[in-house]
Amino acid sequence: MHILLVASAFNSLTQRVHAELRDHGHRVAVELALPGVSPAGAVDRHDPDLVIAPMLRTALPEEVWSARTCLIVHPGPPGDRGPSSLDHALHDGVGRWGVTVLQANAEMDAGDIWAFAECPVPPVGKSDLYRGEIADAALEAVLLAVERFASGTYVPRPQAPARVRPLLRQQERRIDWAADSTERVLRLLRAADSRPGVLDELLGAPWYLHGGHPEDRLRGRPGDLLATRAGAVCRATAGGPGAVPELAAPRPPGAVPYPPPA
């Protein structure tokens, strides 16, 4: 088949999908969904049998999904909708998650389901989860969806009533150093890893905190700065052990935003 990948970036997942589909004998092209530019022209130019969006931050226009089958790779189980799927999974401390391949329609993440693959959620940051377990599940689901589409006989199943969750904002990510346990602090940090980070105040200045792991030996009053090393800090939590996140200064107005998980 001739398959067109439409993605916001040629990131690791898009590259893996591209390579895997080629290895399975498909003819694969890639078009980037650039801000302010409709992908409709590129889709018409390639005239693919199938459009797949491995990582897309904007919705496909109706003129594209109404004319041909477009499959969206969503990093969440069936019924999960919204732009912060992985953030919510790590924020809530779930043990298992998954990737759904669904058909694009007028409502974001609400189309019929072509495939789903489940995966574990280890205690890692969002970027590592995205490149590891989520990417593996995405490949499994994409290949199954493509096989089903190629058969010409598979009928995708409608989604059951869904839970639409909003963008996870800094108010929900905020760390209460006086009350939050190390476990909760690490969940908040891992859920914001790479982008957007957890906005915090340290020594009177704002900083974004990324990632994090526990420090078993250092102790102090909750919120105290215990140690620094190579751009990371160890800060005491209410649970006793310290949490060690990396620091990033706030970006000035108008600066290029932090990239999505690579």
Side-chain angles (χ1 to χ4, degrees):
M1 277 196 306
H2 181 200
I3 299 175
L4 175 64
L5 304 183
V6 177
S8 294
F10 196 50
N11 68 340
S12 61
L13 178 56
T14 305
Q15 293 174 42
R16 284 191 62 181
V17 171
H18 179 266
E20 196 74 25
L21 289 174
R22 286 171 60 92
D23 287 347
H24 279 72
H26 300 290
R27 202 155 47 94
V28 186
V30 180
E31 284 287 341
L32 296 182
L34 302 175
V37 179
S38 171
V43 173
D44 289 342
R45 184 173 69 255
H46 286 281
D47 192 23
D49 302 307
L50 179 65
V51 176
I52 300 177
M55 192 283 288
L56 195 60
R57 291 194 292 268
T58 57
L60 286 172
E62 183 176 0
E63 58 188 311
V64 174
W65 58 256
S66 63
R68 61 190 80 224
T69 300
C70 300
L71 302 184
I72 307 297
V73 179
H74 176 70
D80 174 86
R81 299 182 196 172
S84 300
S85 181
L86 287 186
D87 304 60
H88 281 292
L90 289 166
H91 187 275
D92 297 342
V94 302
R96 298 193 69 79
W97 204 238
V99 176
T100 305
V101 176
L102 50 90
Q103 189 159 337
N105 64 12
E107 187 177 352
M108 187 75 77
D109 301 332
D112 292 348
I113 297 172
W114 282 84
F116 168 69
E118 195 177 25
C119 67
V121 180
V124 298
K126 182 171 59 175
S127 294
D128 288 336
L129 178 65
Y130 183 86
R131 289 190 293 262
E133 287 78 7
I134 291 296
D136 292 342
L139 261 295
E140 179 183 343
V142 166
L143 292 177
L144 178 57
V146 169
E147 179 183 331
R148 287 171 169 173
F149 176 80
S151 74
T153 60
Y154 184 80
V155 178
R157 58 186 178 89
Q159 288 199 49
R163 175 174 58 169
V164 182
R165 296 193 287 188
L167 181 71
L168 195 60
R169 301 188 181 277
Q170 287 296 336
Q171 296 94 307
E172 291 81 44
R173 300 181 188 273
R174 192 176 306 280
I175 295 173
D176 184 345
W177 293 99
D180 288 343
S181 66
T182 301
E183 178 185 0
R184 173 168 170 76
V185 169
L186 291 175
R187 284 208 316 269
L188 294 173
L189 291 170
R190 288 166 177 163
D193 185 37
S194 87
R195 183 178 184 177
V198 174
L199 183 61
D200 197 22
E201 184 174 312
L202 186 64
L203 301 179
W207 293 91
Y208 283 99
L209 310 182
H210 296 267
H213 61 271
E215 162 54 51
D216 297 330
R217 291 178 295 177
L218 298 177
R219 295 290 191 276
R221 293 179 305 173
D224 278 359
L225 182 63
L226 305 179
T228 65
R229 186 178 70 179
V233 297
C234 181
R235 198 168 185 184
T237 70
V244 185
E246 293 186 359
L247 299 178
R251 301 176 73 78
V256 176
Y258 289 107

